[in-house]
Amino acid sequence: MGIALLIVVVLLGALVFYFDSMLQRTAALEFEGQAGNSAGSNWLLVGSDSREGLDDARREELSAGDAGGRRTDSMMLVHIPSGGGQPALISLPRDSYVAIPGHGKTKLNSAFSFGGPQLLAQTVEQNTGVHIDHYAEIGFGGFADLVDAVGGVDICLDKPMDDPMANVHLPQGCQELDGAQALGFVRARYSLDGGDLERAENQRKLLGALVDKGTSPATLINPFRLFPLASGASKTFLVNDSDHIWHLMSLALAMGDVSGGQGVTTQVPFGRFGEDSDGGSVIVWDKEKAGQMFEAINNDQPIPPELLGQ
């Protein structure tokens, strides 16, 4: 019995290190003016439009187009408190009007286009004062594959979604989305009354549904779902050079608490809509309320309830 248990432990350990070795890694998130360390840990989650690894058939299936390079459609800050407590998931809308080091004030997602993960992390830190400990990015194909690996995710819609730009056409009501549909759901923007803010809300909703399914007993005890999920996650996530698979596991547990109602999910408080120098629509944060939110995170304290849902 003892030898059998030892063999199981060794095999599980080998699998963990195997999946960890498959993770893609970016350069260290080190830059001038980096915010000081604070209690708890903070993740910057990024959804990019990278088509890397997609063949022509998969591009067509996902309506991914053929644009080169990487841009980001979604950015979220996740705070995991030290010693327990409620984790927080905060959307950082892509059209947020912020100062980007070396580039003046423009939309937040431009930082990713200008300088990749490093400049994006630097921009987030310098506009929030929150130190970024971990980074995770996933592209089009990887996201859709994770949804398919768990057998689809359940979403309830108050109204139909018909967005030709994202190639998503969903009826009103509760339904199960496959990978391609889920990708369209989180990309849809132009058909939404709330634009970028409503899309950010949908992204949080879908991420919660994915985490729920991925951490459910139906997935964890089913090797035909668990191993494709673990393999897919390890092959498609781009992480900081010091991050490992066990850090992603910790993130998944925290996200499970958020989706299960044991944490908070919200967005940066915004004051108004405006225009940038090119005439594009931007979101201007409420400086006072956003400052209070990020101060709470830096102090490893719960976000004041009056700031949630702003």
Side-chain angles (χ1 to χ4, degrees):
M1 182 68 176
I3 295 178
L5 179 60
L6 177 61
I7 292 174
V8 170
V9 170
V10 170
L11 288 175
L12 288 176
L15 280 174
V16 168
F17 282 99
Y18 169 71
F19 289 136
D20 183 66
S21 70
M22 295 171 66
L23 284 171
Q24 303 174 71
R25 291 184 167 85
T26 185
L29 301 181
E30 297 176 353
F31 39 81
E32 185 179 350
Q34 195 159 19
N37 289 325
S38 57
S41 61
N42 302 305
W43 283 82
L44 179 58
L45 303 186
V46 172
S48 79
D49 66 357
S50 172
R51 282 92 169 159
E52 185 175 351
L54 299 181
D55 58 24
D56 291 342
R58 188 61 167 158
R59 285 174 187 252
E60 183 176 354
E61 179 187 357
L62 299 178
S63 299
D66 57 3
R70 300 176 4 241
R71 285 152 295 276
T72 179
D73 279 337
S74 62
M75 291 154 286
M76 302 179 189
L77 179 65
V78 179
H79 175 68
I80 305 175
S82 59
Q86 289 188 324
L89 171 64
I90 304 164
S91 289
L92 307 174
R94 52 164 275 168
D95 290 343
S96 297
Y97 194 54
V98 298
I100 299 177
H103 298 274
K105 293 196 72 171
T106 186
K107 296 179 180 181
L108 176 60
N109 69 328
S110 296
F112 189 84
S113 299
F114 292 146
Q118 288 71 33
L119 184 57
L120 178 60
Q122 182 180 13
T123 299
V124 170
E125 284 204 8
Q126 295 189 5
N127 282 274
T128 66
V130 173
H131 178 77
I132 302 300
D133 301 290
H134 307 281
Y135 177 89
E137 175 192 331
I138 188 167
F140 277 176
F143 178 81
D145 288 345
L146 290 184
V147 172
D148 286 334
V150 299
V153 294
D154 298 320
I155 287 292
C156 293
L157 302 182
D158 296 331
K159 55 187 178 182
M161 175 179 283
D162 186 15
D163 195 310
M165 294 292 290
N167 193 27
V168 60
H169 311 280
L170 303 174
Q172 179 180 347
C174 296
Q175 56 209 284
E176 184 178 82
L177 307 186
D178 61 21
Q181 292 171 318
L183 179 61
F185 177 73
V186 298
R187 291 178 62 199
R189 177 188 187 197
Y190 295 103
S191 63
L192 304 179
D193 294 336
D196 192 37
L197 294 177
E198 187 174 347
R199 174 166 67 170
E201 182 179 351
N202 286 342
Q203 290 167 348
R204 296 196 305 272
K205 182 186 298 185
L206 196 288
L207 184 58
L210 176 57
V211 171
D212 271 347
K213 196 71 172 288
T215 57
S216 69
T219 297
L220 297 179
I221 65 175
N222 183 347
F224 295 103
R225 285 189 177 176
L226 179 60
F227 285 99
L229 177 63
S231 178
S234 61
K235 288 188 294 186
T236 58
F237 272 108
L238 175 71
V239 297
N240 188 13
D241 71 340
S242 61
D243 290 329
H244 295 281
I245 196 74
W246 42 93
H247 293 125
L248 287 175
M249 293 176 183
S250 174
L251 173 65
L253 291 175
M255 293 295 297
D257 287 342
V258 171
S259 63
Q262 303 303 310
V264 297
T265 175
T266 187
Q267 62 190 7
V268 178
F270 70 98
R272 61 182 175 84
F273 294 97
E275 290 188 357
D276 59 16
S277 57
D278 296 324
S281 177
V282 297
I283 294 171
V284 180
W285 294 356
D286 184 311
K287 186 175 181 180
E288 180 179 353
K289 292 181 178 179
Q292 293 173 0
M293 175 178 285
F294 297 128
E295 182 179 7
I297 290 175
N298 265 331
N299 292 329
D300 204 27
Q301 297 176 346
I303 297 173
E306 62 270 20
L307 300 180
L308 301 177
Q310 292 287 317

